[in-house]
Amino acid sequence: MKKILLLLVVLFSSLGFHAIVNANGAPTKLVVHYFRYDDTYTDFNIWLWPYQPVSAGGVQHNFDPQQKDEHGVWIEIDLTTTYANSTAVGIIIKQGGWDGYREPGGDRYIYLSTAEVIDGVAHAYFVQGSVQFGTSQADLANNIPDYRPKILSASFNVSNQVKATLTHMAESYQVYENDTLVASGVPTTKDLTISVPNVNISKQYTLNVTFPGGIVSSQVVSIASLYDTPAFESAYTYDGELGVTFEGGNTVFRLWAPLSSEVSLNLYNQNHPNYDNSGNLNDELTPYQAVDLEKIENGAWEAVVPGNLNGKYYTYSVTNNNVTYEVTDPYAYSTGANGRRGMIVDFSTVNPSGWN
């Protein structure tokens, strides 16, 4: 929801300083802040491109490791040239070239029309390992993004040990199998190796870590490294039908996502976020309906929606390692423009007469 245009002039009489805050004004500069817990910024850069109203090619901007403050390194981008007239820009934060490390979240978008603007400058704040980012002082005050201590990663290795990396030294940790405590201890390093007895990868394991000040971080332990093991194949081979089916007056969605901790269905009218089905500019950025999927068996998830949704479009929001991505269904029979959304097709309505 767009903010109401706000013009606030604050007079500091002793300094003779005026700050103009305009929540919807067009900024002329964008400052991108990037914080890493290890304070290492060598070869990190951003790939930035005009996104709306017209998308165009991107430009790499390199961070200066020496140019930093309490929010990490920062770089100031002139919006009056390459990005002139852009109301939104796309951004990827990476290290080195395209084969190097990239921050999670894929393509992310900074909406300049809704960012807080101070003296013609908009700011965007990013934190290592976090998809969520902030564009205002209010965001920062509400821990968006979250700079507090946390678990950066947690996964099983092939020896069924939990390997975890923390941002700070912690006071204690606990590992739960579903709701049952199966391991606990006091960390002596930020890199943990935790032995867990009798691991059953068909169950969900969660690592909880308590940091000083009572800050608790929780993360589902990933089983991605076990993907090629016999145990994984035994636990997660699914032989049922995937994709979209029509059963008993309902539209049924099934997705095989054994590594995900949560999955939800997003239903849309348009085949593309920014264009209607006739190709005209029109934003549909949020689904008209969202439905949580339930785990059924062997890594499969299911949602049953009443009615025949033929002709509608959909995506899934999948959560892996506490990071949520919106993705196109790999089992979709058809997609909209550029493959951004799956299309729901009832083939009984389009098959030729006598088609079997």
Side-chain angles (χ1 to χ4, degrees), residues 306-344:
N308 187 316
L309 300 182
N310 180 53
K312 299 295 186 181
Y313 296 87
Y314 72 106
T315 62
Y316 292 116
S317 292
V318 296
T319 301
N320 297 332
N321 294 333
N322 285 2
V323 178
T324 301
Y325 303 89
E326 185 171 5
V327 299
T328 305
D329 183 5
Y331 306 101
Y333 290 106
S334 181
T335 65
N338 299 328
R340 297 288 296 273
R341 293 171 176 172
M343 182 178 184
I344 302 169

Side-chain angles (χ1 to χ4, degrees), residues 187-341:
T188 57
T189 176
K190 292 187 287 187
D191 296 307
L192 309 182
T193 301
I194 305 168
S195 296
V196 178
N198 304 315
V199 172
N200 179 350
I201 62 171
S202 66
K203 298 182 179 180
Q204 180 172 284
Y205 290 81
T206 305
L207 174 64
N208 290 347
V209 175
T210 302
F211 293 94
I215 297 171
V216 178
S217 178
S218 180
Q219 188 169 133
V220 173
V221 181
S222 171
I223 56 174
S225 63
L226 306 179
Y227 192 87
D228 293 324
T229 65
F232 187 96
E233 183 176 349
S234 174
Y236 292 112
T237 297
Y238 180 72
D239 296 322
E241 189 168 4
L242 297 167
V244 178
T245 60
F246 301 89
E247 305 171 15
N250 301 312
T251 306
V252 181
F253 300 81
R254 294 191 188 94
L255 176 71
W256 187 73
L259 303 183
S260 300
S261 56
E262 295 178 11
V263 180
S264 62
L265 167 71
N266 307 304
L267 293 171
Y268 296 97
N269 292 302
Q270 292 185 183
N271 71 81
H272 190 279
N274 309 118
Y275 298 90
D276 66 21
N277 297 337
S278 297
N280 301 310
L281 277 172
N282 186 66
D283 283 349
E284 187 191 29
L285 304 179
T286 57
Y288 72 80
Q289 185 179 356
V291 181
D292 290 334
L293 276 73
E294 296 183 358
K295 269 188 176 180
I296 48 175
E297 57 181 307
N298 298 85
W301 298 74
E302 179 184 82
V304 179
V305 181
N308 187 316
L309 300 182
N310 180 53
K312 299 295 186 181
Y313 296 87
Y314 72 106
T315 62
Y316 292 116
S317 292
V318 296
T319 301
N320 297 332
N321 294 333
N322 285 2
V323 178
T324 301
Y325 303 89
E326 185 171 5
V327 299
T328 305
D329 183 5
Y331 306 101
Y333 290 106
S334 181
T335 65
N338 299 328
R340 297 288 296 273
R341 293 171 176 172

Side-chain angles (χ1 to χ4, degrees), residues 3 71 116 125 127 130 132-148:
K3 301 176 184 176
H71 296 119
E116 180 180 71
Y125 301 88
V127 169
S130 177
Q132 207 173 25
F133 64 93
T135 57
S136 69
Q137 292 300 308
D139 285 342
L140 293 178
N142 286 286
N143 295 312
I144 302 173
D146 197 341
Y147 292 85
R148 293 174 297 181

Side-chain angles (χ1 to χ4, degrees), residues 37 128 150-155 162-168 189-194 207 209 211 217 219:
Y37 291 97
Q128 175 188 359
K150 62 186 175 184
I151 304 167
L152 280 178
S153 65
S155 61
V162 175
K163 300 284 288 186
T165 300
L166 314 179
T167 61
H168 297 73
T189 176
K190 292 187 287 187
D191 296 307
L192 309 182
T193 301
I194 305 168
L207 174 64
V209 175
F211 293 94
S217 178
Q219 188 169 133

